[in-house]
Amino acid sequence: MLAGRKYRLEFDSGQRAFAERLAGICRAVWNTGLEQRREYRRRGQWITYAEQCRQLADAKKDPYCDWLADAPAQVIQQTLKDLDQACRKHGAWTVHWKSKAKWRPSFRFPTARHLPVERINRKWGRVFLPKFGWTRFRMSRPLGGSVKSATVSRDGRHWFISFLLDDGIAEREEHPCPRWAGVDRGVVTAAVTSDGEFFDRRHAGSDGVSSRQLHPRRNRTERTTSGISRPAKRNGIYGCNAGSPAQRRGRSGARRSRPR
């Protein structure tokens, strides 16, 4: 099964500046690719992910777009792939732009063989990121699986790395006890009274077992309640001695103040 692990990165000053630059390149590629897709849709056409990757490779050779070569190829290609999936799922006119003010900087490394991970000591580990080099992170818990991909993002002033892992646990295709699976409807075949006597509900009518025998506590409660309710009706709503002492004094004083 796939699982996720998130750790806090400890970039140095050069790595932090390059991370900001790489996130800006990915934002520019996303917005340019989205505008290109919308322009094709205005003309009633459709551009594919493969065509955009080919045009991206040609743009790297342009002197005016040489800044694209600063980013790892797999990162900006993954940005175009994410854009392609979003447009196929939601439509080019529904996908949002990535605003510099509102967008959280992030980029993803999709290839696992370019992401070796090593543990330094009990608290720290390190990962090799393309064009970043070895980067330390706080290894607060073990990975617990093989790395499939990694996403670097910034939250506030700190950068984090999220690993997508394969923990090696196979997902069950069926219930371990199929005959027990489903809705629990309770016991339908037998019942036991409070005194320990056993009855089969399916033969309750033939054996002459009544609901009074199966539920003695409920019937005892009904008898007790019905026995108490009779004097309560004769003596008033609350009974002759009901109420607080002040209420009882008020009722007795009211009776004494009446003229005889």
Side-chain angles (χ1 to χ4, degrees):
M1 296 177 61
L2 297 179
R5 298 288 187 271
K6 187 175 182 179
Y7 305 95
R8 177 175 163 180
L9 286 169
E10 293 296 332
F11 281 147
D12 56 26
S13 58
Q15 291 173 337
R16 188 176 296 106
F18 181 69
E20 294 284 354
R21 178 175 175 81
L22 181 55
I25 293 174
C26 292
R27 183 176 64 87
V29 170
W30 175 282
N31 291 339
T32 304
L34 180 58
E35 176 60 29
Q36 187 180 33
R37 285 177 175 268
R38 291 185 176 182
E39 183 62 30
Y40 269 72
R41 294 306 299 158
R42 291 188 186 98
R43 295 181 294 180
Q45 300 176 358
W46 183 267
I47 186 171
T48 62
Y49 161 72
E51 178 62 22
Q52 284 191 316
C53 285
R54 187 187 63 80
Q55 295 182 11
L56 178 64
D58 295 338
K60 289 182 179 180
K61 303 175 184 178
D62 191 342
Y64 295 98
C65 300
D66 55 353
W67 47 271
L68 290 172
D70 296 340
Q74 56 176 322
V75 173
I76 51 180
Q77 288 176 2
Q78 183 62 42
T79 302
L80 290 177
K81 184 178 292 186
D82 294 339
L83 176 63
D84 180 71
Q85 294 177 355
C87 291
R88 289 180 181 274
K89 183 177 181 180
H90 304 289
W93 300 103
T94 309
V95 178
H96 297 288
W97 306 97
K98 290 191 175 181
S99 171
K100 184 178 181 180
K102 298 181 180 179
W103 175 60
R104 178 180 298 178
S106 64
F107 46 89
R108 184 150 67 103
F109 296 92
T111 308
R113 68 175 184 271
H114 297 154
L115 302 171
V117 180
E118 297 179 358
R119 176 181 281 277
I120 301 175
N121 51 35
R122 186 173 60 88
K123 293 184 178 180
W124 294 94
R126 66 175 187 171
V127 56
F128 185 86
L129 300 177
K131 294 198 174 185
F132 280 88
W134 288 100
T135 305
R136 295 198 311 163
F137 63 92
R138 296 185 179 183
M139 207 166 189
S140 54
R141 55 176 175 172
L143 286 176
S146 59
V147 178
K148 306 290 289 184
S149 64
T151 301
V152 178
S153 60
R154 180 169 60 83
D155 188 0
R157 296 184 297 107
H158 302 289
W159 287 87
F160 297 86
I161 184 168
S162 301
F163 293 104
L164 180 64
L165 307 170
D166 185 2
D167 56 10
I169 301 176
E171 186 176 0
R172 293 184 179 271
E173 297 181 357
E174 60 180 9
H175 197 276
C177 299
R179 65 188 186 90
W180 292 352
V183 180
D184 184 8
R185 300 184 183 275
V187 179
V188 296
T189 58
V192 180
T193 60
S194 58
D195 56 358
E197 190 173 358
F198 179 83
F199 296 99
D200 191 347
R201 288 176 183 261
R202 290 180 294 184
H203 305 288
S206 59
D207 294 339
V209 180
S210 63
S211 60
R212 188 177 298 274
Q213 291 175 293
L214 292 176
H215 305 282
R217 180 176 299 179
R218 185 186 64 183
N219 294 302
R220 183 169 60 252
T221 304
E222 292 176 356
R223 290 195 301 271
T224 306
T225 305
S226 60
I228 292 177
S229 61
R230 294 192 191 95
K233 291 181 181 180
R234 290 197 302 268
N235 296 320
I237 298 177
Y238 299 101
C240 58
N241 294 325
S244 63
Q247 291 174 342
R248 290 198 296 270
R249 287 196 300 271
R251 288 197 296 269
S252 61
R255 287 196 296 269
R256 284 196 297 271
S257 62
R258 292 174 185 173
R260 297 183 178 178

